[in-house]
Amino acid sequence: MAFKADPAPTQRWWQRRAVRRFLRHRLALFGLAIIVLLVLACVIGPYLLPFDDLYIDLRARFAPPMTGSHIFGTDPLGRDLAARLFMAGRISLLVGFAAMLISTVFGSLVGIVAGYYGGKIGAVLMRFVDAMLSFPSIFLLLALAAFIKPSPIMITLIIAATSWMEITRIVEAEIKSLRERDFIMAARTLGLSNSQIMFRELLPNAMGPIIVAATLTVARAILLEAYVSFLGYGIQPPLPSWGNMLNGAQQYLDSAPWLAIVPGVAITLAVTGFNFVGDGLRDALDARSDIA
């Protein structure tokens, strides 16, 4: 009777070591704090303000920041900018997380199949990926958005459709390096099916690069949504997003600059936070990295 060594102690040691390395990464912790604060502000913030995002007070038009109860000021219709910022953050962050989830799942599936089978199947799939990557993602995104009625769901799907290719290349390269390892040979000897080997043996061992890529994809999705909405092809008013808030503020840059500064700072903080966390995860999950 053959006995299989229990990998749990080794896995727990590796996980604890990765957590310690992440906690020593100051920029990653700073980015994580930014993300947590932004999410809490967008989820809880609207309930703490005396105005909702649709309340119009024409007498308070263009009120500068810190005017009465208007922390960030008001817009051309007298709507509270803080309320709109928090509600817009819900939309922008939701689009970012949803697009990341869809593109990560689809890109990982294609990468696993291409990396495991290789040969003609892998060549066809990766040439399709290369063909998709040959189109600039911004132009591809704008082309798709121009022909589809904009809504949060459709913008999320469009961003995911232009973001999965990078994840596929990362996963495909990782699977190719893992498929000839001894534990995969042992799995084949034990009679495991291809799907069992791919999803029970290979996928868990490739989760490190996938997690890092997924974190960075959130930042990219938020930036793409803001870009498309700023150009008028994304989320449409009266539904707010950080991108269309910038779009509405461009004609008031001289008279009311806070209309652009407030959502611009929010986008910068969100993208910076996710990039810092992604860098920290990459260093923590890379055994060759040495974090002081």
Side-chain angles (χ1 to χ4, degrees):
M1 181 178 179
F3 293 94
K4 186 178 180 180
D6 182 12
T10 302
Q11 291 177 355
R12 286 195 295 268
W13 172 84
W14 183 83
Q15 291 167 357
R16 288 195 299 268
R17 185 170 181 268
V19 170
R20 288 196 302 269
R21 292 161 68 88
F22 181 81
L23 293 177
R24 289 199 298 268
H25 199 294
R26 293 184 179 89
L27 285 179
L29 294 179
F30 177 66
L32 184 61
I34 292 175
I35 295 169
V36 171
L37 289 175
L38 277 177
V39 172
L40 288 177
C42 294
V43 172
I44 302 175
Y47 301 110
L48 303 178
L49 296 173
F51 310 100
D52 62 36
D53 62 305
L54 297 177
Y55 177 76
I56 296 176
D57 183 3
L58 295 177
R59 295 171 299 180
R61 296 173 68 243
F62 297 112
M66 306 309 294
T67 300
S69 300
H70 302 292
I71 312 172
F72 298 144
T74 61
D75 68 3
L77 296 178
R79 295 173 296 188
D80 184 66
L81 201 60
R84 289 187 61 76
L85 181 78
F86 296 148
M87 293 302 294
R90 291 182 179 182
I91 301 296
S92 296
L93 290 173
L94 184 61
V95 168
F97 280 112
M100 174 274 293
L101 183 62
I102 296 171
S103 60
T104 300
V105 171
F106 184 74
S108 297
L109 287 174
V110 176
I112 290 171
V113 172
Y116 179 74
Y117 287 104
K120 293 182 179 179
I121 295 177
V124 170
L125 290 175
M126 295 312 295
R127 295 300 75 75
F128 176 69
V129 170
D130 292 339
M132 292 291 293
L133 286 171
S134 67
F135 295 97
S137 59
I138 294 297
F139 295 123
L140 182 60
L141 182 64
L142 290 175
L144 292 173
F147 292 101
I148 297 175
K149 183 178 179 180
S151 69
I153 294 177
M154 295 310 302
I155 293 300
T156 299
L157 293 176
I158 292 172
I159 292 174
T162 60
S163 303
W164 60 273
M165 295 83 72
E166 292 85 354
I167 296 175
T168 295
R169 297 189 72 173
I170 292 171
V171 175
E172 187 261 351
E174 189 71 14
I175 296 300
K176 285 178 68 175
S177 69
L178 291 173
R179 68 183 182 184
E180 303 301 329
R181 298 280 183 88
D182 291 341
F183 71 97
I184 298 300
M185 300 296 184
R188 293 195 183 103
T189 304
L190 292 173
L192 271 66
S193 65
N194 289 332
S195 61
Q196 289 176 319
I197 293 174
M198 284 190 289
F199 296 105
R200 286 176 50 184
E201 303 295 334
L202 288 172
L203 180 60
N205 285 279
M207 284 305 296
I210 293 174
I211 291 172
V212 175
T215 305
L216 298 175
T217 300
V218 179
R220 183 173 183 269
I222 292 173
L223 205 56
L224 287 175
E225 184 279 322
Y227 185 88
V228 175
S229 296
F230 174 75
L231 294 177
Y233 293 100
I235 310 297
Q236 299 296 310
L239 193 65
S241 79
W242 290 336
N244 65 30
M245 288 180 71
L246 283 175
N247 177 275
Q250 57 183 326
Q251 57 184 313
Y252 304 108
L253 289 177
D254 293 331
S255 57
W258 61 87
L259 296 178
I261 292 173
V262 170
V265 169
I267 294 171
T268 302
L269 288 175
V271 173
T272 302
F274 281 107
N275 281 331
F276 282 169
V277 171
D279 289 342
L281 288 173
R282 181 188 58 202
D283 293 340
L285 297 173
D286 185 1
R288 296 168 298 179
S289 178
D290 184 17
I291 303 174

